[in-house]
Amino acid sequence: MNWKLGLNFFNPTATIFNPIDLGEEEVKRKIEQGQYHIYMICKRKKLFFESCSKNSSGESEIRFYKINENHDKKHIGYKNKEIFIHSLSDGYYDVEFKGHRLRVREFLMINNFGFMEKDFIGDSNQMEIASDLEVMYIGQAFGRNENKTIDYRLRNHEKIQKVALDSLNNGLNEEILVIGLTVGESDLSTALVAKDDYNNPPTLESFIKMHESAIKRPSEGQRVTLFEAALIKYFQPDLNIEYKETFPGPDFTSYNEIYEMEFDYVAIGLDTRTVFARVFSKFKSQRKYLHHDYFPLHSTGKHDSLIEFLEN
């Protein structure tokens, strides 16, 4: 009997914030309490608010614009019956929503306007949407020490500074946002069990052995690193160096526990629907809310699909 065991990682929750908000206690507390151990530094073209007015049908006609590479305005318009924008000040919109006045963070408003609610995966339209985010760097913040928290890392992060400087030097009018991810793992490892041939059916002992192998788990710190490394391998962000070419491999102490167990692959799922933004990178150019992939642990080759890998 053959089987292949896999560790399956995903993000149960996600949050999004602007790095300049890390000085606010509410944002710091949310990140700390939410245990967002993985962070993705992203960028996109900044969308500027121009006006909001009511038309004869009672709809709000909201106008934004972008600055293109030629420094020309490119207008984008939305119509909405439920929202009216009164003003924009200090990064917050003064909004009337269903009779209530609210203050909404600027980038969150853009994410809501661009969200494709009926498209679960987010791949029905591959044209650029104002809320799309390009992944530039993926890192982790895991540990008890103060310098291991996300807010400390990002306040002192050279990668954010590089993205910001590149945008300023090139006059690109871009904004930097950070997506924080929690790390979850499926309760059960996946396994494909098949007969070697019709004369060699599975036995009770073989199922017991498979169960004993499947219940073993690497430590929490290594699980965070495995998820981080797999995401880096998948997106190949411009500013990452480690793991882009070396994951998976048995020679790295940062995730060596996995090679002391009997798992055959690591699989990942990334869901950014909860922050209303599709993500992509130069390497992984398809813009989606949901991304997934797998990585064989004992082979340098990559099979065409997970099913083909499991069947081999």
Side-chain angles (χ1 to χ4, degrees), residues 19 22 39 41 146-161:
L22 285 170
Y39 57 90
I41 300 174
E146 180 184 353
N147 62 358
K148 295 288 187 180
T149 61
I150 282 185
D151 61 291
Y152 178 89
R153 289 247 174 132
L154 293 179
R155 283 200 307 269
N156 301 276
H157 213 300
E158 62 181 20
K159 302 300 182 181
I160 283 186
Q161 295 166 14

Side-chain angles (χ1 to χ4, degrees), residues 49 85-94 103-106:
F49 174 65
I85 299 176
H86 290 276
S87 63
L88 171 64
S89 177
D90 297 327
Y92 285 87
Y93 285 101
D94 177 10
R103 290 180 78 241
V104 180
R105 196 68 172 90
E106 186 176 5

Side-chain angles (χ1 to χ4, degrees), residues 143-196:
R144 305 294 182 188
N145 298 329
E146 180 184 353
N147 62 358
K148 295 288 187 180
T149 61
I150 282 185
D151 61 291
Y152 178 89
R153 289 247 174 132
L154 293 179
R155 283 200 307 269
N156 301 276
H157 213 300
E158 62 181 20
K159 302 300 182 181
I160 283 186
Q161 295 166 14
K162 177 170 174 51
V163 175
L165 285 173
D166 287 347
S167 297
L168 287 173
N169 290 338
N170 296 320
L172 295 178
N173 289 300
E174 293 172 331
E175 64 177 340
I176 302 169
L177 298 172
V178 178
I179 298 176
L181 305 173
T182 55
V183 180
E185 183 184 356
S186 296
D187 292 336
L188 297 175
S189 301
T190 57
L192 179 75
V193 182
K195 297 178 182 179
D196 291 330

Side-chain angles (χ1 to χ4, degrees), residues 35-64:
Q35 295 186 330
Y36 296 102
H37 293 315
I38 301 291
Y39 57 90
M40 302 195 303
I41 300 174
C42 306
K43 70 174 185 177
R44 68 183 177 201
K45 284 283 190 181
K46 187 169 178 58
L47 203 61
F48 298 92
F49 174 65
E50 187 170 78
S51 64
C52 181
S53 60
K54 289 283 188 180
N55 61 22
S56 58
S57 300
E59 295 176 310
S60 297
E61 293 190 352
I62 306 167
R63 287 171 59 84
F64 299 93

Side-chain angles (χ1 to χ4, degrees), residues 7-242:
L7 281 173
N8 302 285
F9 296 105
F10 64 99
N11 62 295
T13 57
T15 189
I16 188 169
F17 55 92
N18 191 312
I20 66 174
D21 294 334
L22 285 170
E24 298 183 10
E25 288 300 321
E26 182 180 350
V27 175
K28 291 167 60 177
R29 186 168 56 252
K30 179 180 179 181
I31 293 170
E32 181 179 350
Q33 293 176 348
Q35 295 186 330
Y36 296 102
H37 293 315
I38 301 291
Y39 57 90
M40 302 195 303
I41 300 174
C42 306
K43 70 174 185 177
R44 68 183 177 201
K45 284 283 190 181
K46 187 169 178 58
L47 203 61
F48 298 92
F49 174 65
E50 187 170 78
S51 64
C52 181
S53 60
K54 289 283 188 180
N55 61 22
S56 58
S57 300
E59 295 176 310
S60 297
E61 293 190 352
I62 306 167
R63 287 171 59 84
F64 299 93
Y65 65 88
K66 290 182 178 181
I67 303 295
N68 64 20
E69 287 74 12
N70 297 321
H71 301 283
D72 298 321
K73 287 185 179 181
K74 179 182 178 182
H75 283 92
I76 299 172
Y78 296 99
K79 291 183 179 181
N80 193 292
K81 289 185 176 181
E82 298 179 328
I83 293 176
F84 185 86
I85 299 176
H86 290 276
S87 63
L88 171 64
S89 177
D90 297 327
Y92 285 87
Y93 285 101
D94 177 10
V95 175
E96 188 172 338
F97 177 68
K98 295 183 177 180
H100 299 280
R101 293 291 284 266
L102 306 169
R103 290 180 78 241
V104 180
R105 196 68 172 90
E106 186 176 5
F107 65 87
L108 292 176
M109 180 67 72
I110 302 305
N111 286 8
N112 277 275
F113 277 132
F115 184 52
M116 300 189 298
E117 185 176 1
K118 297 180 180 180
D119 186 349
F120 187 72
I121 296 176
D123 59 352
S124 62
N125 175 16
Q126 280 306 297
M127 299 293 290
E128 178 186 353
I129 298 174
S131 54
D132 291 346
L133 288 165
E134 181 180 356
V135 180
M136 302 300 296
Y137 181 83
I138 297 171
Q140 66 157 288
F142 177 78
R144 305 294 182 188
N145 298 329
E146 180 184 353
N147 62 358
K148 295 288 187 180
T149 61
I150 282 185
D151 61 291
Y152 178 89
R153 289 247 174 132
L154 293 179
R155 283 200 307 269
N156 301 276
H157 213 300
E158 62 181 20
K159 302 300 182 181
I160 283 186
Q161 295 166 14
K162 177 170 174 51
V163 175
L165 285 173
D166 287 347
S167 297
L168 287 173
N169 290 338
N170 296 320
L172 295 178
N173 289 300
E174 293 172 331
E175 64 177 340
I176 302 169
L177 298 172
V178 178
I179 298 176
L181 305 173
T182 55
V183 180
E185 183 184 356
S186 296
D187 292 336
L188 297 175
S189 301
T190 57
L192 179 75
V193 182
K195 297 178 182 179
D196 291 330
D197 54 54
Y198 288 105
N199 298 317
N200 187 22
T203 64
L204 176 60
E205 289 76 13
S206 64
F207 279 114
I208 292 174
K209 184 178 185 300
M210 182 182 68
H211 174 72
E212 291 174 347
S213 299
I215 62 175
K216 296 178 181 178
R217 289 292 186 273
S219 63
E220 185 179 5
Q222 294 233 322
R223 292 199 296 271
V224 171
T225 298
L226 285 167
F227 192 28
E228 174 203 19
L231 286 171
I232 291 171
K233 180 74 171 185
Y234 177 79
F235 282 108
Q236 298 280 304
D238 277 1
L239 299 180
N240 281 98
I241 298 174
E242 194 174 19

